[in-house]
Amino acid sequence: MSLYKREGSPYWWVRFVHNGKRIQKSSGTGDRQQAQEYHDKLKSELWKQERLGVKPSRTWNDAVVRWLRETGDKATHKNDIQKLRWLDSYLRGALLDRITRDQLAEIAEARAKDSSPATANRYTALIRAILRRACLDWEWLDRVPKVRMFKEAQRRVRWITREQANQLLALLPVHLAELARFSLATGLRQANVLQLAWSQLDLPRRVAWIHPDQAKARKAIGVPLNDEAVAVIRRQLGKHQVRVFTFRGRPVAWANTKAWRRAVAAAGLGDFRWHDLRHTWASWHAQAGTSALELQEMGGWETPAMVRRYAHLSPEHLAKAAARIEVGATKLATEENGVAALAAVSA
């Protein structure tokens, strides 16, 4: 029997055999005529897929489930889930091949209105990544609609001077001050500092390491420990068996707290965020002459482009290039002065 009802279910179910495979699905309706139409359409689509090479219709939800299954190791996996929950109200049940450029533009406009163009771009980029994988890897789509991104303003690198850093450290509670000192000494991201374990340290060699699954770029990072970093670490000895940084006997879960924000405000640092400690560390290195290659390796950045944000802080390496026109300029000025003097004598 092609149509039947299960006990306790209000819907008609369809059941038939296609190419030796049993097909059994709910029609999603309690109307027998509509269920029959669903049955006939399903059989027709399966025939077209087999005989005519027509791709089966896939929904956005199908793509989301597979995307999350295949990208579970991404550093931003939890952020993806958060974004996809917001996108669900716009794309739930939508057929992938029916998603249009205009529809994506409306979604981007809605997200930008609630937050900012930069945030909207992050959501749009996620949609684009999923659609591209559905097209290129899964072969669910023949083409992907072109996605328009908002133009983002180039944000300046936010960093503070050593004097400002010392002022901020003096205003922080002891446990946060130690975390901040270590961040300024190593440039590690907040999560890497908070989750740092004693097993990741070798004090005699003055090194630490971040495992690949802890790093944003999913690549291991070797962390050289300078005198300041070693001093901070030594002050944590004996406080906890596993974690390095603790507060009242427990590992610190979050650094961007009210106490942090109060200290930032009291120091007059305005929009200074915890992540800006990393920008400050990189800026200090750039000004001290650390090469871009060294900085990239220490910071665990995947591409040189991320390091170029700090290049303007160390223009000293261009001094030789700037000096190339000094001789010509001096000679030209001398010749001009000579012509002027000659003209004065003639007059």
Side-chain angles (χ1 to χ4, degrees), residues 35-48:
Q36 184 65 51
E37 291 175 358
Y38 174 77
H39 166 273
D40 296 342
K41 183 180 179 181
L42 184 58
K43 290 191 73 173
S44 175
E45 287 179 350
L46 290 173
W47 183 87
K48 289 178 181 178

Side-chain angles (χ1 to χ4, degrees), residues 146-162:
K146 187 175 181 180
V147 181
R148 181 178 65 87
M149 307 289 276
F150 290 107
K151 185 176 181 180
E152 297 182 35
Q154 293 295 320
R155 296 181 60 183
R156 65 186 177 89
V157 174
R158 183 72 170 94
W159 62 280
I160 55 177
T161 64
R162 295 181 185 277

Side-chain angles (χ1 to χ4, degrees), residues 301-337:
W301 283 292
E302 194 169 7
T303 64
M306 303 300 292
V307 184
R308 283 199 290 269
R309 294 179 294 177
Y310 311 101
H312 68 286
L313 299 173
S314 57
E316 291 85 354
H317 68 288
L318 300 174
K320 185 179 293 186
R324 290 179 186 140
I325 64 170
E326 287 179 350
V327 176
T330 304
K331 182 179 180 182
L332 179 62
T334 303
E335 290 176 352
E336 289 177 347
N337 291 337

Side-chain angles (χ1 to χ4, degrees), residues 64-296:
V64 166
V65 170
R66 185 163 179 178
W67 169 267
L68 291 176
R69 185 172 65 245
E70 293 184 0
T71 60
D73 60 339
K74 277 183 63 181
T76 56
H77 185 68
K78 290 183 179 179
N79 292 334
D80 282 357
I81 293 175
Q82 181 182 3
K83 292 182 178 71
L84 290 168
R85 283 174 179 163
W86 186 89
L87 290 168
D88 186 63
S89 61
Y90 291 91
L91 294 170
R92 184 193 308 126
L95 294 175
L96 289 180
D97 56 2
R98 301 290 179 85
I99 296 176
T100 65
R101 183 190 304 185
D102 290 342
Q103 187 177 5
L104 296 181
E106 289 176 7
I107 295 172
E109 292 285 353
R111 182 70 272 186
K113 185 177 180 181
D114 290 342
S115 50
S116 67
T119 299
N121 282 346
R122 305 292 85 76
Y123 282 72
T124 302
L126 178 58
I127 296 174
R128 181 172 61 185
I130 292 175
L131 292 180
R132 283 181 174 175
R133 182 167 293 196
C135 178
L136 302 175
D137 292 356
W138 307 334
E139 297 183 349
W140 288 2
L141 289 171
D142 292 323
R143 57 179 296 276
V144 175
K146 187 175 181 180
V147 181
R148 181 178 65 87
M149 307 289 276
F150 290 107
K151 185 176 181 180
E152 297 182 35
Q154 293 295 320
R155 296 181 60 183
R156 65 186 177 89
V157 174
R158 183 72 170 94
W159 62 280
I160 55 177
T161 64
R162 295 181 185 277
E163 182 180 355
Q164 290 172 317
N166 288 332
Q167 185 180 3
L168 174 62
L169 292 171
L171 293 167
L172 287 169
V174 175
H175 72 288
L176 286 180
E178 292 288 67
L179 284 165
R181 282 193 184 92
F182 191 75
S183 298
L184 287 169
T186 61
L188 288 175
R189 294 180 174 87
Q190 179 181 164
N192 294 143
V193 176
L194 296 181
Q195 296 170 12
L196 189 66
W198 290 110
S199 60
Q200 294 171 253
L201 293 169
D202 188 337
L203 284 181
R205 292 173 53 214
R206 297 167 65 95
V207 295
W209 50 88
I210 304 301
H211 300 300
D213 61 338
Q214 297 174 314
K216 186 175 180 181
R218 288 298 186 255
K219 293 181 180 179
I221 304 172
V223 186
L225 301 176
N226 59 20
D227 289 345
E228 181 69 21
V230 171
V232 171
I233 292 296
R234 291 193 183 282
R235 289 195 289 269
Q236 314 312 311
L237 290 170
K239 293 183 179 181
H240 196 272
Q241 288 187 339
V242 179
R243 292 286 185 83
V244 175
F245 294 102
T246 61
F247 177 59
R248 295 177 179 174
R250 293 186 175 184
V252 181
W254 190 246
N256 189 17
T257 61
K258 289 182 179 179
W260 162 263
R261 293 190 288 273
R262 282 196 297 266
V264 168
L269 298 180
D271 60 346
F272 193 76
R273 307 165 304 163
W274 187 275
H275 190 71
D276 291 328
L277 293 172
R278 179 171 166 85
H279 290 316
T280 298
W281 165 83
S283 300
W284 288 356
H285 266 290
Q287 293 171 70
T290 301
S291 72
L293 186 60
E294 290 173 325
L295 190 55
Q296 180 183 345

